[in-house]
Amino acid sequence: MHSPGHRFQAQDRFADGAQYIAGRLVKGTSGRTHAVVDPATGDEVYTYELAGTADVDAAVAAARAAFPGWAGATPGERSDALHRFAAVLADRAEEFARAESLQCGKPLKLTREFDVPGTIDNTAFFAGAARHLQGQSAGEYSGDHTSYVRREPIGVVGSIAPWNYPLQMAAWKILPAVAAGNTIVLKPAELTPLTSLLFAEAATVAGIPDGVINIVTGAGRDAGEHLVGHPDVAMTSFTGSTAVGRRVAEIATATVKRLHLELGGKAPFVVFDDADLEAAVHGAVAGSLINTGQDCTAATRAYVQRPLYEEFVRRTADLMAGVRLGDPFGPGTDLGPLISYAQRDRVAGFVDRARGYARVVTGGEIPQELKAGAYYRPTLVADAPQDSEIVQAEIFGPVLVVLPFDGDDEGIRLANDTPYGLAASAWTRDVYRAGRATREIKAGCVWVNDHIPIISEMPHGGYKASGFGKDMSAYSFEEYTQIKHVMFDNTAVARKDWHRTIFGDR
C-alpha cells in the first residue's frame, strides 16, 4: 500500500480542529471524538472532536452576522471573490486530490481528473453566474403600474453533504448559495470532512469574508438535526439517502424552511437492439463502477433488448474482470475500496442474497489480497426478477444488474419501474427511439449513448423519490433566491377606480 510520504497529512493539517467558523479552524465541543479512516488500509488518519449544538449555534451566528455585508455586496464584487476562489483552488489542486483520495479511497486519477477539476470549473462558473441574477424585465402589465421582479438572497443556508463526493458536494451546496448573496453553514459527513475544510480555508485565502462559509463536522442526529431545525437558518439543502431525506424534510417543514433535496437513485441503462454494442459495454462498465459504484447517478440496472442480451452480458463480464483494484495512490489502479467496511459488507449482503434468485456472472467477492481494505470486486448480476431487492434497492457499490426486455414499450416501462428518478441513459442509433426515451423516462437527467458526464452549465436533480430542486447551473438560483414583485403606481391619481369596490360609487 501507499507509503505515508505519499499521503495527505491530515492530523498535522487540521491540528486546530475540524470546525471552520468565522474564518478559522476550531475544535468541536461535543465531548466526543471521531476518526477519519483510510478505507484502503483501515488506518486512522485524523481524529477530531465532533461538533455539538453549541458549535452549530456559533456557526449560524457567524453566518448571520456576515449576511448583511455579503448580501449587500454588488454582483461584481461577489463575482470577483469567486474568481479569486477558483484561482486558489487551482493552485492547491494536488492537495485537494490527495486529501480526497485519502479519506474516500478514490483512485488518485479520479480525484485529479474528475473531482478536483470539476469543482474548480463549478467555482469559475458561479463566479460568472453571480453577475446574472436577473428578474423579469420591467413592464406596465396592469396599464397603470410598472412592475418588475427582484431576486434576493434568502439568508443563512444550512446544508448537509454526503460522503461519496465530499469536495464536489460541498461545492454544489456552497457555490450557488454564496453567489446569490447568502451565507452558509455546511455539515459534511463525519467520515469525510477533510476537503470541505480545505474548501472553506481556500475561500478565506481568496478574500471571501469571514462567516460567509462555515463548516461544522458533527453527527447527523446532533449537529445535523440542530442545523436543520435552527430558527436562524432560512433554508436547508440536503444530499443523501431518501430515508434520511424524509427525516430532514420533517424537521425543515416544521419550521417552514425552504427545502432542497437530492436523494437516492437507481439509474436505468437501456440498450436497444440497434445500439453500438461495444460503446454500450464500455459505457456500462464505466458508468456502473465510477467511484466504486458509490454514485447516485451510477448505472445500476442495465435493460438490454433480447437480441443483444447474452453478448452484452458476456462482454461486460469480461471487461469488468479486467478492472484493476489496488492502492488508490498507485498509478495502475482503476478502482479503490468502498468508503468503509460496513458499506462493503452491505454491498456483499445484497449480492449474497441475490444468489438465491439470480446469476452472479463475475465478481461477487472480497478480494483476499486486499482484505485489509474495504474492497469488493466489480460484480455483474444477471437474470434477476424485476421486483427483486437487487433491482429495486439502492446498493451503492460496484454492482450492475442486467435484465432482458423485448419491445421498446417494455424497456421504457421497466426503466421507470422503481421509486427513483435521478438519472438514466438510452443506447440507440435511432434518433426517434432516442427522442422517445428522453421524453418518457422519468429522470432528472437522461443521457443518450453515454452515462455519467456532468457539466456546470446544466442542472442536476431528480424526480420522484430522488428529491426535488437543482444543483449546478443557473437553475440552482431558483433554490437559493426568493422572488419579490415590486409595483409602482404611474398615475399619481389619489382615488383609484378600483377603490369603489371597497367604498363609494364611481
Side-chain angles (χ1 to χ4, degrees):
M1 275 298 161
H2 46 270
S3 67
H6 291 154
R7 306 197 305 186
F8 176 83
Q9 300 300 310
Q11 201 68 54
D12 296 336
R13 187 69 174 75
F14 299 118
D16 291 334
Q19 319 305 323
Y20 198 82
I21 300 173
R24 65 189 185 95
L25 288 165
V26 294
K27 295 184 186 300
T29 62
S30 70
R32 293 180 292 121
T33 60
H34 186 83
V36 175
V37 175
D38 177 353
T41 63
D43 296 336
E44 293 185 3
V45 298
Y46 179 53
T47 302
Y48 64 95
E49 293 84 0
L50 287 164
T53 56
D55 303 302
V56 174
D57 290 341
V60 172
R64 187 179 181 188
F67 175 70
W70 185 247
T74 67
E77 288 167 340
R78 290 198 294 267
S79 176
D80 288 347
L82 288 170
H83 277 299
R84 294 193 302 269
F85 191 11
V88 173
L89 295 175
D91 288 342
R92 299 184 175 191
E94 184 65 11
E95 181 182 40
F96 276 94
R98 289 185 176 279
E100 196 80 331
S101 288
L102 180 67
Q103 67 181 353
C104 299
K106 298 170 184 273
L108 196 56
K109 68 178 181 179
L110 180 64
T111 59
R112 281 174 171 166
E113 298 177 27
F114 184 79
D115 298 68
V116 175
T119 301
I120 295 168
D121 185 72
N122 260 231
T123 309
F125 170 80
F126 280 106
R131 289 180 177 267
H132 298 284
L133 277 167
Q134 298 168 342
Q136 190 173 4
S137 299
E140 286 69 48
Y141 299 100
S142 77
D144 290 338
H145 306 81
T146 296
S147 290
Y148 68 88
V149 169
R150 290 179 56 86
R151 189 183 289 273
E152 298 180 346
I154 295 170
V156 177
V157 178
S159 292
I160 300 176
W163 49 255
N164 60 330
Y165 287 102
L167 176 60
Q168 287 194 312
M169 295 298 100
W172 286 14
K173 300 298 183 197
I174 291 169
L175 293 170
V178 300
N182 301 285
T183 56
I184 189 166
V185 179
L186 173 78
K187 193 198 88 65
E190 307 96 291
L191 295 173
T192 55
L194 304 182
T195 46
S196 296
L197 295 169
L198 288 176
F199 195 72
E201 275 193 326
T204 298
V205 171
I208 292 176
D210 294 348
V212 172
I213 298 172
N214 306 274
I215 308 294
V216 289
T217 309
R221 290 201 175 273
D222 300 325
E225 293 198 1
H226 189 62
L227 177 62
V228 173
H230 201 289
D232 290 334
V233 169
M235 174 187 167
T236 291
S237 177
F238 171 80
T239 296
S241 71
T242 299
V244 178
R246 292 190 185 99
R247 175 60 180 160
V248 169
E250 289 174 5
I251 300 169
T253 53
T255 51
V256 198
K257 295 186 188 335
R258 176 80 65 90
L259 182 61
H260 169 214
L261 298 175
E262 198 266 272
L263 306 176
K266 190 71 178 176
F269 186 100
V270 183
V271 182
F272 294 98
D273 58 12
D274 67 327
D276 181 328
L277 185 59
E278 182 179 10
V281 166
H282 282 77
V285 173
S288 63
L289 299 185
I290 186 170
N291 204 36
T292 317
Q294 299 167 125
D295 186 312
C296 298
T297 64
T300 57
R301 301 177 289 138
Y303 295 102
V304 183
Q305 205 152 17
R306 205 170 294 276
L308 299 182
Y309 180 71
E310 291 298 339
E311 189 175 1
F312 179 92
V313 170
R314 178 183 61 79
R315 292 174 64 171
T316 301
D318 289 346
L319 190 57
M320 270 193 174
V323 171
R324 301 165 296 179
L325 280 66
D327 176 2
F329 288 77
T333 296
D334 296 322
L335 203 69
L338 289 134
I339 189 65
S340 66
Y341 300 110
Q343 182 65 14
R344 179 199 64 188
D345 294 345
R346 179 180 181 275
V347 171
F350 274 102
V351 177
D352 289 344
R353 291 189 295 274
R355 297 180 198 278
Y357 56 78
R359 175 167 53 112
V360 178
V361 183
T362 190
E365 62 182 12
I366 296 169
Q368 291 305 298
E369 69 277 15
L370 294 168
K371 63 182 179 181
Y375 289 87
Y376 195 76
R377 291 202 189 282
T379 300
L380 186 67
V381 177
D383 306 333
Q386 173 66 15
D387 62 355
S388 61
E389 173 192 54
I390 205 163
V391 174
Q392 293 293 322
E394 188 174 30
I395 300 169
F396 231 54
V399 178
L400 177 64
V401 183
V402 189
L403 295 85
F405 70 92
D406 291 306
D408 290 15
D409 290 351
E410 182 187 16
I412 291 174
R413 178 180 62 79
L414 291 171
N416 286 328
D417 185 28
T418 71
Y420 300 105
L422 186 58
S425 62
W427 297 75
T428 177
R429 291 182 172 97
D430 186 326
V431 66
Y432 298 104
R433 264 180 164 169
R436 180 187 178 189
T438 61
R439 290 191 304 273
E440 296 185 14
I441 293 177
K442 304 305 180 186
C445 175
V446 181
W447 293 283
V448 177
N449 296 327
D450 207 346
H451 195 108
I452 286 297
I454 53 176
I455 50 175
S456 298
E457 292 83 359
M458 288 291 114
H460 174 87
Y463 287 19
K464 304 190 292 186
S466 292
F468 49 81
K470 299 300 179 185
D471 290 310
M472 300 200 299
S473 83
Y475 290 98
S476 65
F477 287 138
E478 301 299 325
E479 317 305 319
Y480 294 100
T481 57
Q482 48 197 355
I483 301 301
K484 178 185 289 183
H485 171 215
V486 178
M487 197 173 198
F488 284 90
D489 171 58
N490 292 332
T491 67
V493 174
R495 188 171 178 180
K496 307 291 193 294
D497 187 56
W498 70 268
H499 291 178
R500 67 186 172 81
T501 63
I502 311 302
F503 64 90
D505 300 317
R506 186 185 293 274

